[in-house]
């Protein structure tokens, strides 16, 4: 009778569980059967998982938010009198969060499985499999549970034990403190990807339902798009140079949201991972990132080379001395230039900026914000130097205009200290009138002063 009940139960189990989750080994010589469950643990919802290191409370480490746990591998042997008189014998019990089969956690699992059979004294293999899948989690998360996987007070999460004694040291000699957490996180990530790939989603761009393996989910907002549509969307905005739109979720609810850069944003790392198979777009993304960072840096200026124009910020490794304040080296073409005059780096020689009145008039009439921008571009000391030079030059020109006369042939300025108004230029030997600046006949230079009706008539000695 027990053998028949065992056969019926095993047939039912084979119909319920896929081959990768169930293995049945029949030992004809010993008239015993071994059943191995390898059922993934379901948490139903994201659950906090704390890692206790060497018996210390797990709250000092940030919890893991997990939805899947690696399988609790359970192997039981069916004695001849199972299921009516004997319980299944536990042969093997293993899981990443059960570090020692003799630990209190392992003993608690064995005891709870035995109690499952004692309650019914019948077929319990399916109960064992489902308890390994989710039963122990439900008991642990129950308020004031006596499960060793809880803290015994609240039901806020699962607590697993990890020992540093079994952990290899890192390259720095410091023991790694969370290899168990890394294992659980990696399994959870792969399990989420596998579950995502088996579902079907509606792409809000092409409005077609596609399998998850052909789609991508935005982590921040959870919207799903098929990869083909999302790639077209990113290609458009990256090509046009709009990094802000490329980093925004294209779903209508995110586009219309005022908090576009929060709930509906795509992280740069997420975008880089998506574009890893399109090197040209990935390169374009890196360029736009650097460009955006440089535009936000007030010390950044475009490279003076017409075929480059790369925004070049100040090198943080340079000291803050005035000598290196204007130094820039383009990261694209390696051109070293002065940020003020936009010419090849010339320190310690001063800049040869044009002392144009338009620049100085703009600086003099500018608002404080515009003035700071001009000082950031040309340098405050340079502008003050140009202003002093310009004012000196302007004063010189005014003095020359009022006190001298220009030669009509070579434009040399000549000052009369004494004598008549007949002047002879020392540079070109031209004869001219000091009063009106007109040329004089070299053979008859005084005719200009003796001709009635002339503006300089009788003014030879004025």
């Amino acid at each position: 009778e027990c053998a028949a009940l065992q056969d019926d139960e095993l047939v039912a189990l084979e119909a319920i569980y896929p081959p990768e989750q169930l293995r049945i080994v029949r030992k004809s010589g010993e008239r015993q059967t071994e059943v191995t469950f390898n059922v993934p643990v379901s948490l139903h919802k994201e659950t906090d998982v704390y890692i206790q290191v060497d018996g210390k409370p797990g709250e000092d480490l940030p919890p893991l938010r997990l939805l899947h746990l690696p399988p609790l591998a359970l192997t039981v042997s069916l004695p001849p009198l199972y299921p009516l008189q004997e319980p299944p014998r536990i042969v093997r019990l293993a899981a990443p969060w059960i570090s020692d089969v003799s630990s209190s956690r392992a003993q608690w699992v064995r005891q709870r499985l035995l109690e499952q059979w004692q309650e019914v004294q019948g077929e319990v293999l399916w109960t064992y499999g489902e308890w390994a899948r989710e039963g122990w989690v439900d008991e642990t998360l129950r308020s004031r549970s006596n499960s060793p996987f809880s803290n015994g007070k609240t039901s806020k999460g699962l607590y697993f034990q990890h020992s540093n004694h079994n952990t290899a040291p890192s390259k720095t000699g410091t023991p790694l403190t969370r290899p168990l957490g890394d294992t659980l996180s990696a399994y959870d990530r792969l399990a989420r990807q596998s579950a995502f790939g088996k579902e079907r989603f509606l792409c809000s761009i092409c409005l077609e339902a596609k399998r998850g393996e052909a789609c991508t989910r935005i982590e921040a907002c959870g919207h799903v798009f098929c990869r083909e549509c999302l790639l077209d969307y990113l290609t458009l905005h990256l090509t046009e140079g709009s990094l802000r739109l490329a980093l925004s979720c294209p779903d209508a609810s995110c586009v219309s949201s005022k908090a576009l850069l929060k709930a509906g944003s795509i992280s740069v790392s997420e975008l880089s991972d998506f574009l890893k198979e399109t090197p040209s777009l990935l390169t374009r993304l890196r360029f736009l990132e650097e460009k955006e960072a440089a535009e936000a840096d007030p010390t950044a200026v475009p490279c003076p080379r017409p075929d480059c124009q790369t925004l070049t910020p100040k090198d943080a490794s340079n000291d803050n001395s005035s000598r290196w304040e204007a130094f820039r080296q383009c990261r694209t073409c390696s051109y070293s230039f002065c940020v003020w005059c936009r010419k090849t780096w010339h320190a310690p020689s001063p800049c040869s900026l044009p002392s144009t009145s338009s620049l100085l008039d703009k600086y003099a009439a500018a608002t404080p914000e515009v003035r700071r921008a001009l000082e950031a571009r040309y340098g405050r000391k340079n502008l003050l130097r140009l202003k002093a030079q310009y004012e000196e030059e302007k004063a010189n020109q005014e003095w020359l205009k009022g006190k001298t006369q220009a030669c009509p042939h070579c434009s040399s300025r000549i000052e009369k200290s004494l004598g008549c108004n007949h002047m002879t230029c020392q540079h070109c030997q031209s004869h001219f009138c000091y009063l009106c600046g007109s040329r004089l006949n070299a053979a008859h230079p005084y005719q200009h002063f003796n001709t009635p009706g002339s503006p300089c008539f009788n003014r030879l000695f004025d």
Side-chain angles (χ1 to χ4, degrees):
E1 182 180 2
C2 291
L5 292 175
Q6 289 184 22
D7 292 338
D8 293 342
E9 188 175 13
L10 295 177
V11 170
L13 289 178
E14 290 177 332
I16 295 173
Y17 295 100
E20 64 271 14
Q21 297 182 8
L22 177 72
R23 186 168 63 91
I24 299 176
V25 178
R26 293 179 174 84
K27 299 180 179 181
S28 56
E30 302 176 7
R31 293 189 303 170
Q32 287 190 353
T33 301
E34 282 191 355
V35 179
T36 300
F37 292 97
N38 200 41
V39 182
V41 177
S42 174
L43 299 180
H44 301 299
K45 64 179 182 179
E46 285 192 343
T47 304
D48 290 337
V49 176
Y50 297 86
I51 308 298
Q52 297 176 317
V53 181
D54 292 333
K56 298 179 181 178
E59 288 86 349
D60 54 350
L61 292 176
L64 306 174
R65 294 288 294 176
L66 304 180
L67 189 59
H68 304 273
L69 287 177
L72 175 62
L74 174 64
T75 301
V76 296
S77 174
L78 305 182
L81 296 181
Y82 170 81
L84 298 180
Q85 299 183 30
E86 291 186 67
R89 300 192 185 104
I90 299 176
V91 177
R92 178 174 175 267
L93 181 65
W97 59 89
I98 300 179
S99 57
D100 187 359
V101 295
S102 62
S103 66
S104 60
R105 288 171 167 79
Q107 295 301 325
W108 179 80
V109 171
R110 292 174 180 272
Q111 180 61 32
R112 287 297 297 125
L113 291 174
L114 177 60
E115 292 174 358
Q116 300 284 338
W117 179 83
Q118 292 175 343
E119 291 177 3
V120 296
Q121 293 195 1
E123 298 90 333
V124 293
L125 294 184
W126 178 83
T127 304
Y128 275 20
E130 294 307 298
W131 191 87
R133 181 201 304 274
E134 57 187 7
W136 70 273
V137 175
D138 294 339
E139 291 187 21
T140 300
L141 297 181
R142 190 182 306 142
S143 179
R144 300 192 180 279
S145 169
N146 61 354
S147 167
F149 299 105
S150 70
N151 63 356
K153 300 177 183 178
T154 63
S155 56
K156 67 177 183 177
L158 300 174
Y159 289 75
F160 295 144
Q161 178 67 38
H162 166 69
S163 175
N164 273 335
H165 299 293
N166 299 324
T167 302
S170 65
K171 294 181 180 180
T172 60
T174 303
L176 301 175
T177 58
R178 293 190 63 180
L180 175 58
D182 295 340
T183 301
L184 299 182
S185 297
Y187 180 87
D188 180 71
R189 182 171 60 254
L190 294 176
R192 288 175 189 249
Q193 293 176 356
S194 177
F196 178 79
K198 296 176 183 178
E199 298 183 34
R200 295 187 69 85
F201 301 92
L202 179 67
C203 174
S204 60
I205 297 179
C206 64
L207 302 180
E208 294 183 7
K210 298 186 179 181
R211 290 181 62 87
E213 58 190 12
C215 298
T216 297
R217 186 197 302 273
I218 307 300
E219 294 181 2
C221 57
H223 292 130
V224 178
F225 307 93
C226 65
R227 289 195 181 93
E228 184 178 357
C229 290
L230 189 58
L231 182 60
D232 291 342
Y233 170 83
L234 296 174
T235 301
L236 172 65
H237 292 303
L238 290 177
T239 302
E240 293 183 348
S242 180
L243 181 62
R244 184 184 68 85
L245 291 178
L247 294 175
S248 302
C249 172
D251 189 86
S253 61
C254 285
V255 172
S256 61
S257 173
K258 293 182 179 179
L260 184 63
L261 297 180
K262 295 182 180 179
S265 62
I266 306 175
S267 65
V268 174
S269 60
E270 185 180 4
L271 192 59
S272 301
D273 185 65
F274 179 79
L275 296 175
K276 61 184 178 182
E277 297 181 0
T278 53
S280 59
L281 287 180
L282 189 58
T283 303
R284 178 67 173 171
L285 173 64
R286 296 284 182 252
F287 168 77
L288 292 178
E289 280 186 272
E290 295 177 358
K291 179 174 179 290
E292 185 180 64
E295 288 176 343
D297 186 352
T299 67
V301 294
C303 174
R305 287 186 171 178
D307 57 346
C308 182
Q309 297 291 300
T310 301
L311 281 172
T312 306
K314 182 179 180 181
D315 191 352
S317 62
N318 292 336
D319 57 32
N320 293 323
S321 63
S322 58
R323 177 178 179 179
W324 295 100
E325 184 180 359
F327 176 78
R328 299 290 186 277
Q329 185 174 37
C330 179
R331 293 173 293 182
T332 302
C333 65
S334 300
Y335 178 60
S336 299
F337 62 95
C338 173
V339 72
W340 292 328
C341 64
R342 301 296 199 275
K343 296 181 180 179
T344 303
W345 181 239
H346 52 75
S349 302
C351 296
S352 57
L353 287 175
S355 56
T356 58
S357 59
S358 59
L359 174 61
L360 296 175
D361 290 342
K362 182 180 179 181
Y363 178 71
T367 62
E369 292 77 11
V370 176
R371 181 168 294 186
R372 282 193 292 270
L374 291 173
E375 291 175 351
R377 178 176 179 180
Y378 296 106
R380 186 172 184 272
K381 292 182 179 179
N382 272 335
L383 290 172
L384 294 177
R385 176 173 59 84
L386 287 176
K387 182 180 178 181
Q389 291 177 353
Y390 176 73
E391 291 177 348
E392 181 180 357
E393 181 70 17
K394 186 177 179 180
N396 288 336
Q397 293 297 328
E398 290 177 353
W399 185 89
L400 289 173
K401 185 177 180 180
K403 301 293 183 180
T404 64
Q405 182 64 269
C407 172
H409 179 70
C410 67
S411 300
S412 296
R413 306 299 300 192
I414 297 174
E415 179 187 8
K416 187 184 81 168
S417 58
L418 53 88
C420 68
N421 291 322
H422 167 218
M423 311 297 294
T424 303
C425 180
Q426 294 182 350
H427 292 88
C428 63
Q429 304 303 313
S430 296
H431 295 259
F432 66 95
C433 174
Y434 187 80
L435 295 177
C436 64
S438 58
R439 288 176 181 268
L440 300 180
N441 189 335
H444 304 284
Y446 298 104
Q447 186 178 359
H448 174 72
F449 301 98
N450 297 326
T451 303
S454 171
C456 300
F457 178 67
N458 284 333
R459 298 181 65 187
L460 178 62
F461 290 97
D462 279 3

